[in-house]
Amino acid sequence: MRWRSGRQFLFAAISTVVLLSPATAFAEAVGRTSALVPSATQQQGGSGPAALNLNDSVMRNAVLETAKGGALEVTFADNSKLSMGEASEAVIDEFTYAGPATASSQSLKMTKGLFRFVSGAVQKDKVKLETPAVTIGIRGTVLRVKSPGDGTTTVGVDDDGTHPPDMVLAIVISKATGQKVELTPGHYVTFGQDGLPGDIQQGTVPGCN
């Protein structure tokens, strides 16, 4: 009788893990909407897009999309921020943060559109940003990205006056060619459809305010 009770308890525990664990991971909140104009959506798994409201939870693995003429800002648990311009789409691939001095990671795909990313408390070598054309590593910065969906990507680093002018704050690598560009404050670069980078320019990414 005791063994049967134990077996029933074990079966119930396993069933709970099987039934609840995927949903728990699937529904894990990693941030919130901190600005919204006028509308944006969040899509999880096989469900359809759901309208977002101000201060709504943003979930891991969610696809975020802004409307034409819209904008969205997400503030993550480590106080990093992702701002999206109109008709933009991004995917939150990974976000792990349990507080200072803990293991953490952040991975975002900027599928198409205009973006501004402000780094937070996640260790900078554990932050991975990418577009269909490039991957971006950061060293603590304000980053602007334009990914219009035509195979090109422009990446720029803001000059906020807190870093030496020759300090490399972002490393951008072409997925097609493997070529690497190092960006210092106040500069940007455009990778063409062939995966090759153009000349490094001074200023901010055009159209990405």
Side-chain angles (χ1 to χ4, degrees):
M1 187 69 177
R2 183 178 304 168
W3 175 83
R4 183 179 179 186
S5 298
R7 183 179 63 176
Q8 289 173 336
F9 175 81
L10 179 61
F11 179 79
I14 292 173
S15 298
T16 300
V17 170
V18 171
L19 291 174
L20 295 184
S21 290
T24 301
F26 177 71
E28 181 182 353
V30 296
R32 63 179 180 84
T33 56
S34 46
L36 181 64
V37 180
S39 63
T41 60
Q42 173 175 232
Q43 183 172 354
Q44 305 175 66
S47 63
L52 283 168
N53 298 302
L54 193 61
N55 292 319
D56 273 358
S57 294
V58 173
M59 305 299 180
R60 187 208 302 260
N61 295 324
V63 178
L64 304 175
E65 191 168 2
T66 58
K68 184 177 180 180
L72 172 67
E73 179 188 76
V74 175
T75 299
F76 292 91
D78 71 327
N79 285 322
S80 60
K81 295 180 185 291
L82 174 67
S83 299
M84 302 170 57
E86 69 170 348
S88 298
E89 182 181 302
V91 182
I92 304 171
D93 265 353
E94 176 63 33
F95 184 86
T96 304
Y97 180 72
T102 63
S104 59
S105 63
Q106 186 172 29
S107 178
L108 305 175
K109 286 182 180 176
M110 303 172 184
T111 310
K112 65 176 182 178
L114 302 171
F115 306 90
R116 179 176 180 266
F117 178 78
V118 181
S119 60
V122 170
Q123 295 98 317
K124 303 307 174 284
D125 63 339
K126 301 299 182 183
V127 176
K128 180 183 177 182
L129 308 175
E130 60 179 307
T131 75
V134 303
T135 58
I136 308 163
I138 66 169
R139 297 180 179 175
T141 186
V142 178
L143 198 76
R144 296 179 192 268
V145 177
K146 180 164 67 174
S147 178
D150 61 357
T152 69
T153 292
T154 303
V155 180
V157 176
D158 281 13
D159 184 1
D160 59 7
T162 63
H163 299 95
D166 59 348
M167 182 176 179
V168 175
L169 295 179
I171 300 174
V172 190
I173 303 174
S174 169
K175 291 182 177 180
T177 65
Q179 287 189 262
K180 177 176 69 174
V181 173
E182 297 180 340
L183 292 175
T184 54
H187 292 86
Y188 69 90
V189 66
T190 298
F191 284 76
Q193 294 177 334
D194 55 4
L196 298 175
D199 294 334
I200 295 175
Q201 305 291 327
Q202 187 171 10
T204 58
V205 175
C208 193
N209 299 320

